[in-house]
Amino acid sequence: SQQGEEDPQALSIQEGENATMNCSYKTSINNLQWYRQNSGRGLVHLILIRSNEREKHSGRLRVTLDTSKKSSSLLITASRAADTASYFCATDFKAAGNKLTFGGGTRVLVKP
Amino acid sequence: NAGVTQTPKFRVLKTGQSMTLLCAQDMNHEYMYWYRQDPGMGLRLIHYSVGEGTTAKGEVPDGYNVSRLKKQNFLLGLESAAPSQTSVYFCASTDGPLPQHFGDGTRLSIL
C-alpha cells in the first residue's frame, strides 16, 4: 500500500494564483520529498525536507512538515502555465537502499 | 550529460512474450531502482539495487526479474508478459543521500 496520500487529487487555478497541495503519511520518516512530473516525462526532484525541519523554501516553492500530524504541504506561489504538472510526495525510512514510497499525486492545471 | 536513459521508449507485446528493459546511468550512482506507474497512481517499487552485482525486491516484484552486472546498467525482465503488466516503467538512480534521478519512462502495452 502507498505510504503517502495526497490531497486534492486535482487542482485547477488561474495563472498568478497560489497552489497548495497536501501529503499525509502513515509511519515515521527520515525525509520527505516533492517531485514534479510533466506529461509523458519522468519525475523531477523539487525539494527535500528532513524530519527535524519544519519549513523549507526554494524559489516559489514552500514546503512545510508536521511530524506530529504526519503531514506535509507544498505551496507554489504566483503560479505559471509551466507549473502545470503532477506533483508527488515521497517518503523514506531508516532502511537500506534509500527506498522511496510515493503518494498518488496531485494533478495541477494552471490556466493562462 | 545524459543522466538516466531508458530503452525502449515504447513497446507492445503479446501475452506470454518476454522482453528486457534497459536502464543506463552515467552519474556513477550506486543505487538504482525500477518502478511502475499505473494511471492516476504514484510509483510503486518493483526491484532495486544498492550496488553492482546486488538486487533486492521492492513492493511489487512478482513477474519481474532484474540484473545489475555493470554499475551503470540495471535491466528489468519480463519472462512471460501478462496484461496486468501494462504500465509505464521508470528507472531511477541515486548516490545516496537522496534525491533520485529519473529516466523518461518506457510505455509498455501487453495485449
Side-chain angles (χ1 to χ4, degrees), chain A residues 3-83:
Chain A
Q3 159 78 328
E5 296 296 331
E6 292 174 67
D7 172 61
Q9 290 188 332
L11 182 59
S12 180
I13 57 175
Q14 293 293 139
E15 207 166 25
E17 294 180 338
N18 295 343
T20 300
M21 59 210 84
N22 304 294
C23 170
S24 61
Y25 56 91
K26 297 175 183 175
T27 60
S28 295
I29 61 172
N30 261 352
N31 309 282
L32 186 143
Q33 300 177 69
W34 286 90
Y35 287 81
R36 183 187 72 232
Q37 184 180 33
N38 291 97
S39 181
R41 303 300 299 274
L43 277 70
V44 174
H45 178 259
L46 294 176
I47 196 165
L48 180 151
I49 187 165
R50 302 189 188 284
S51 59
N52 61 355
E53 297 176 314
R54 292 298 168 258
E55 187 171 314
K56 206 160 184 179
H57 297 255
S58 176
R60 294 183 296 111
L61 304 179
R62 173 178 171 256
V63 169
T64 62
L65 179 64
D66 187 335
T67 53
S68 67
K69 295 181 179 179
K70 293 186 170 59
S71 67
S72 173
S73 67
L74 171 66
L75 167 68
I76 305 173
T77 60
S79 62
R80 305 167 182 169
D83 294 327

Side-chain angles (χ1 to χ4, degrees), chain A residues 35 37 40-42 45 92 97 103, chain B residues 33 37 42 98-100 103-104 107:
Chain A
Y35 287 81
Q37 184 180 33
R41 303 300 299 274
H45 178 259
D92 71 278
Chain B
Y33 309 84
Q37 183 179 33
L98 310 161
Q100 294 184 8
D104 279 338
R107 283 148 188 81

Side-chain angles (χ1 to χ4, degrees), chain B residues 17-36:
Chain B
Q17 287 185 319
S18 63
M19 80 161 295
T20 300
L21 282 65
L22 171 64
C23 175
Q25 52 96 1
D26 61 3
M27 296 170 283
N28 203 36
H29 285 167
E30 288 292 336
Y31 302 88
M32 296 187 74
Y33 309 84
W34 276 107
Y35 296 91
R36 61 178 289 173

